[in-house]
Amino acid sequence: MTDLNRFLMVYKFGLAEINTKLEILAEELAHRGTGNPIEHIRPRLKTPASISAKARRIGCPLTYSDLRLRIRDIAGIRVVCGFVSDVYTVAEMLTRQPDVELVLTKDYIAAPKPNGYRSLHLLVEIPVFMSDRVVPVPVEVQLRTVAMDFWASLEHKIYYKHSPQVPSRLRDELTAAAEDAARLDERMERLHHEINGSPAGQRTAS
């Protein structure tokens, strides 16, 4: 247990670093009077049981070196924004900081998953300064709108209730609901731009 706590400790610290950066951005933008693009932030550290289950699922040996190399979302943080454009704005603000290294981007907003899931996933590395070494810690950052978060939360509950098999009718309904949520995001983005006098349209990933 001591070894496990030591293993997880650096992920806890890395998560705290990213969380602090996002909170600073949110507070600074709020005080600037330009509007805070971040609605809320939810950090999450995988439990030992969750790490073990994922390791078995992907065929990863249960050694700390293998877990560190192959499971890159032990530390994760969800950032919920008001508008799609805010998602990309916050992502850019975070990843342009010199001590945040962007490792991988998965843009499920520009290219949603087949079930309709939408979110921007970033894998970043942040240096954690321990007493005797500097450890680069991977943190998965998920950025999404309120509508995307609402859909994903309810989709998870429905799948959990009907596990292991969700009826095809429900899968189709969930995909249609995801498209409805995307249309709501587009409409709210357009209204936001019209009210604030800025050009219409939303930013998408390049």
Side-chain angles (χ1 to χ4, degrees):
M1 185 59 68
T2 301
D3 288 343
L4 177 60
N5 289 338
R6 188 179 298 113
F7 173 74
L8 290 176
M9 185 182 298
V10 293
Y11 290 97
K12 177 183 176 182
F13 295 157
L15 189 57
E17 292 275 2
I18 294 294
N19 188 63
T20 298
K21 286 178 176 296
L22 290 165
E23 288 179 343
I24 288 171
L25 286 174
E27 187 168 347
E28 180 203 357
L29 293 169
H31 279 288
R32 240 191 237 178
T34 55
N36 180 6
I38 298 175
E39 296 289 331
H40 52 265
I41 302 167
R42 297 176 188 157
R44 182 268 307 150
L45 190 67
K46 275 187 182 296
T47 63
S50 179
I51 295 170
S52 177
K54 180 164 186 177
R56 289 194 299 270
R57 191 166 65 250
I58 67 174
C60 175
L62 290 175
T63 67
Y64 292 129
S65 58
D66 284 303
L67 293 174
R68 186 177 295 108
L69 181 65
R70 297 187 57 186
I71 300 183
R72 308 290 280 170
D73 63 343
I74 292 175
I77 192 162
R78 183 173 303 156
V79 184
V80 178
C81 301
F83 302 98
V84 174
S85 57
D86 291 339
V87 166
Y88 292 103
T89 296
V90 173
E92 183 181 359
M93 287 179 173
L94 178 65
T95 56
R96 73 186 179 199
Q97 297 189 19
D99 57 342
V100 177
E101 179 184 354
L102 178 62
V103 177
L104 181 67
T105 300
K106 292 183 179 179
D107 192 343
Y108 297 117
I109 298 176
K113 289 186 177 183
N115 67 344
Y117 175 85
R118 288 168 168 82
S119 187
L120 178 64
H121 290 198
L122 308 176
L123 179 63
V124 301
E125 279 191 350
I126 183 79
V128 171
F129 292 83
M130 307 294 285
S131 61
D132 57 347
R133 68 197 190 282
V134 179
V135 183
V137 178
V139 179
E140 184 187 60
V141 184
Q142 296 180 358
L143 301 107
R144 58 179 64 157
T145 65
V146 174
M148 294 173 197
D149 191 55
F150 175 74
W151 179 90
S153 176
L154 294 186
E155 188 259 4
H156 176 76
K157 290 179 181 179
I158 290 170
Y159 265 73
Y160 180 80
K161 181 177 180 180
H162 289 274
S163 179
Q165 183 60 45
V166 175
S168 59
R169 178 185 60 81
L170 281 181
R171 290 199 302 269
D172 293 341
E173 287 285 346
L174 283 167
T175 302
E179 293 169 357
D180 290 339
R183 282 192 289 270
L184 176 62
D185 269 334
E186 291 173 3
R187 176 175 292 180
M188 297 307 292
E189 184 92 34
R190 185 170 60 252
L191 289 171
H192 172 65
H193 284 302
E194 288 180 4
I195 290 171
N196 288 278
S198 55
Q202 69 185 36
R203 177 180 175 179
T204 57
S206 54

